[in-house]
PDB file of all heavy atoms in Angstrom:
ATOM      1  N   GLU B   8      12.251   3.173  30.766  1.00  0.00           N
ATOM      2  CA  GLU B   8      13.008   2.011  31.323  1.00  0.00           C
ATOM      3  C   GLU B   8      14.002   1.564  30.285  1.00  0.00           C
ATOM      4  O   GLU B   8      13.789   1.748  29.100  1.00  0.00           O
ATOM      5  CB  GLU B   8      11.998   0.823  31.483  1.00  0.00           C
ATOM      6  CG  GLU B   8      11.150   0.869  32.715  1.00  0.00           C
ATOM      7  CD  GLU B   8      10.143  -0.274  32.732  1.00  0.00           C
ATOM      8  OE1 GLU B   8      10.519  -1.432  32.314  1.00  0.00           O
ATOM      9  OE2 GLU B   8       9.005  -0.048  33.132  1.00  0.00           O
ATOM     10  N   ALA B  22       0.349  11.411  24.846  1.00  0.00           N
ATOM     11  CA  ALA B  22      -0.214  11.613  23.505  1.00  0.00           C
ATOM     12  C   ALA B  22      -1.693  11.242  23.583  1.00  0.00           C
ATOM     13  O   ALA B  22      -2.089  10.218  23.038  1.00  0.00           O
ATOM     14  CB  ALA B  22       0.541  10.787  22.491  1.00  0.00           C
ATOM     15  N   THR B  71      17.552   6.146  16.882  1.00  0.00           N
ATOM     16  CA  THR B  71      17.144   5.450  18.108  1.00  0.00           C
ATOM     17  C   THR B  71      18.175   5.745  19.231  1.00  0.00           C
ATOM     18  O   THR B  71      17.808   5.760  20.362  1.00  0.00           O
ATOM     19  CB  THR B  71      16.992   3.918  17.854  1.00  0.00           C
ATOM     20  OG1 THR B  71      18.029   3.450  17.029  1.00  0.00           O
ATOM     21  CG2 THR B  71      15.636   3.614  17.202  1.00  0.00           C
ATOM     22  N   HIS B  95      -6.425  -7.634  12.802  1.00  0.00           N
ATOM     23  CA  HIS B  95      -7.779  -8.187  12.790  1.00  0.00           C
ATOM     24  C   HIS B  95      -7.846  -9.287  13.822  1.00  0.00           C
ATOM     25  O   HIS B  95      -7.261 -10.367  13.665  1.00  0.00           O
ATOM     26  CB  HIS B  95      -8.032  -8.772  11.349  1.00  0.00           C
ATOM     27  CG  HIS B  95      -9.324  -9.482  11.255  1.00  0.00           C
ATOM     28  ND1 HIS B  95     -10.531  -8.839  11.255  1.00  0.00           N
ATOM     29  CD2 HIS B  95      -9.623 -10.821  11.140  1.00  0.00           C
ATOM     30  CE1 HIS B  95     -11.518  -9.704  11.154  1.00  0.00           C
ATOM     31  NE2 HIS B  95     -10.978 -10.889  11.063  1.00  0.00           N
ATOM     32  N   GLY B 110      10.595  -7.394  18.424  1.00  0.00           N
ATOM     33  CA  GLY B 110       9.301  -7.871  17.897  1.00  0.00           C
ATOM     34  C   GLY B 110       8.367  -8.313  19.014  1.00  0.00           C
ATOM     35  O   GLY B 110       7.129  -8.200  18.855  1.00  0.00           O
ATOM     36  N   LEU B 114       4.429  -7.642  19.536  1.00  0.00           N
ATOM     37  CA  LEU B 114       3.554  -8.836  19.652  1.00  0.00           C
ATOM     38  C   LEU B 114       2.681  -8.749  20.903  1.00  0.00           C
ATOM     39  O   LEU B 114       1.583  -9.289  20.936  1.00  0.00           O
ATOM     40  CB  LEU B 114       4.469 -10.059  19.757  1.00  0.00           C
ATOM     41  CG  LEU B 114       3.809 -11.415  19.582  1.00  0.00           C
ATOM     42  CD1 LEU B 114       3.171 -11.523  18.201  1.00  0.00           C
ATOM     43  CD2 LEU B 114       4.837 -12.514  19.768  1.00  0.00           C
ATOM     44  N   ASP B 174       7.585 -28.047  17.129  1.00  0.00           N
ATOM     45  CA  ASP B 174       7.032 -28.962  18.155  1.00  0.00           C
ATOM     46  C   ASP B 174       5.547 -28.708  18.409  1.00  0.00           C
ATOM     47  O   ASP B 174       4.748 -29.629  18.448  1.00  0.00           O
ATOM     48  CB  ASP B 174       7.787 -28.834  19.471  1.00  0.00           C
ATOM     49  CG  ASP B 174       9.208 -29.348  19.364  1.00  0.00           C
ATOM     50  OD1 ASP B 174       9.511 -30.025  18.357  1.00  0.00           O
ATOM     51  OD2 ASP B 174      10.033 -29.039  20.216  1.00  0.00           O
ATOM     52  N   LEU B 176       3.374 -27.091  16.540  1.00  0.00           N
ATOM     53  CA  LEU B 176       2.577 -27.355  15.382  1.00  0.00           C
ATOM     54  C   LEU B 176       2.329 -28.862  15.193  1.00  0.00           C
ATOM     55  O   LEU B 176       1.284 -29.297  14.731  1.00  0.00           O
ATOM     56  CB  LEU B 176       3.212 -26.813  14.082  1.00  0.00           C
ATOM     57  CG  LEU B 176       3.273 -25.252  13.981  1.00  0.00           C
ATOM     58  CD1 LEU B 176       4.072 -24.879  12.730  1.00  0.00           C
ATOM     59  CD2 LEU B 176       1.923 -24.661  13.925  1.00  0.00           C
ATOM     60  N   SER B 178       2.192 -31.062  17.593  1.00  0.00           N
ATOM     61  CA  SER B 178       1.402 -31.713  18.638  1.00  0.00           C
ATOM     62  C   SER B 178       0.002 -31.115  18.797  1.00  0.00           C
ATOM     63  O   SER B 178      -0.832 -31.685  19.470  1.00  0.00           O
ATOM     64  CB  SER B 178       2.154 -31.590  20.017  1.00  0.00           C
ATOM     65  OG  SER B 178       2.407 -30.257  20.291  1.00  0.00           O
ATOM     66  N   VAL B 190      13.413  -9.935  10.123  1.00  0.00           N
ATOM     67  CA  VAL B 190      12.902 -10.473   8.857  1.00  0.00           C
ATOM     68  C   VAL B 190      13.284 -11.954   8.662  1.00  0.00           C
ATOM     69  O   VAL B 190      12.405 -12.747   8.277  1.00  0.00           O
ATOM     70  CB  VAL B 190      13.317  -9.613   7.661  1.00  0.00           C
ATOM     71  CG1 VAL B 190      12.701 -10.146   6.388  1.00  0.00           C
ATOM     72  CG2 VAL B 190      12.883  -8.159   7.886  1.00  0.00           C
ATOM     73  N   MET B 192      13.683 -14.233  10.774  1.00  0.00           N
ATOM     74  CA  MET B 192      12.851 -15.062  11.612  1.00  0.00           C
ATOM     75  C   MET B 192      11.439 -15.226  11.035  1.00  0.00           C
ATOM     76  O   MET B 192      10.889 -16.293  10.964  1.00  0.00           O
ATOM     77  CB  MET B 192      12.741 -14.424  13.011  1.00  0.00           C
ATOM     78  CG  MET B 192      11.927 -15.273  13.983  1.00  0.00           C
ATOM     79  SD  MET B 192      11.155 -14.279  15.319  1.00  0.00           S
ATOM     80  CE  MET B 192       9.521 -14.035  14.590  1.00  0.00           C
ATOM     81  N   LEU B 253      12.345  -7.457   0.803  1.00  0.00           N
ATOM     82  CA  LEU B 253      12.257  -6.580   2.006  1.00  0.00           C
ATOM     83  C   LEU B 253      13.614  -6.400   2.621  1.00  0.00           C
ATOM     84  O   LEU B 253      14.032  -5.294   3.016  1.00  0.00           O
ATOM     85  CB  LEU B 253      11.301  -7.198   2.998  1.00  0.00           C
ATOM     86  CG  LEU B 253      11.115  -6.502   4.349  1.00  0.00           C
ATOM     87  CD1 LEU B 253      10.602  -5.079   4.131  1.00  0.00           C
ATOM     88  CD2 LEU B 253      10.157  -7.232   5.267  1.00  0.00           C
TER      89      LEU B 253
END
Side-chain angles (χ1 to χ4, degrees):
Chain B
E8 280 175 40
T71 42
H95 174 71
L114 194 61
D174 290 345
L176 290 175
S178 58
V190 182
M192 182 207 96
L253 176 62

